[in-house]
Amino acid sequence: MQYFHETSSLSIAFDEDNQWLYVEWKGHHDAVSSKKGGELVLQHLQSCACTKMLNDNSQVTSEWDRGARWVGSHYYATLADQGVRFVAWICPPHWPARKSMETAMLFVTRPMVVLFDDLASGYAWLARQS
């Protein structure tokens, strides 16, 4: 993987073998960190021009409801504008964080975003998309 950004709370990498962006969120996030991280993803997406993203939230430990509308309506629409067609979004086991994801999904109209309970299932689904 080619890492564009790596901190204790967010990693953004291009998976060359699968030709997709891999984004891993970890720990506590709120509306501010979600927006800031999303903007970083959008910035780095421009350098790899891929149509798929594996968005791993399996290690998120907090709710971020205040940022859910921005994520669901603006962030995902901008991903689509930049060419992303498919997103596998991996859910955290932490219920408040998962609830924030489900709230964001109410606003997603594009690209195709599917929620998964585990990384392996999301990976397999994303690999089948063309």
Side-chain angles (χ1 to χ4, degrees):
M1 286 220 232
Q2 175 188 358
Y3 281 87
F4 298 126
H5 178 85
E6 191 167 15
T7 64
S8 61
S9 61
L10 178 64
S11 297
I12 304 168
F14 179 63
D15 183 331
E16 295 173 17
D17 292 340
N18 292 299
Q19 294 292 297
W20 65 49
L21 197 64
Y22 177 65
V23 180
E24 182 180 30
W25 302 80
K26 298 165 273 193
H28 179 84
H29 285 279
D30 56 22
V32 172
S33 65
S34 297
K35 186 173 182 181
K36 191 178 217 179
E39 289 169 348
L40 276 172
V41 171
L42 294 169
Q43 175 187 342
H44 291 297
L45 180 61
Q46 294 174 4
S47 62
C48 63
C50 51
T51 61
K52 300 178 187 180
M53 184 171 84
L54 185 56
N55 194 28
D56 185 357
N57 281 217
S58 64
Q59 296 179 64
V60 173
T61 59
S62 60
E63 63 88 14
W64 42 271
D65 276 347
R66 290 188 176 181
R69 184 180 198 106
W70 180 86
V71 168
S73 61
H74 176 77
Y75 175 64
Y76 276 104
T78 306
L79 284 173
D81 290 344
Q82 291 188 7
V84 174
R85 295 177 49 221
F86 304 101
V87 177
W89 198 357
I90 313 307
C91 297
H94 183 71
W95 174 246
R98 183 181 182 120
K99 185 175 80 62
S100 297
M101 287 175 60
E102 291 177 357
T103 299
M105 286 295 293
L106 297 173
F107 302 99
V108 174
T109 57
R110 61 190 179 97
M112 178 183 285
V113 179
V114 178
L115 300 181
F116 294 91
D117 289 325
D118 62 275
L119 187 60
S121 298
Y123 183 102
W125 176 81
L126 196 58
R128 291 190 305 268
Q129 305 312 304
S130 57

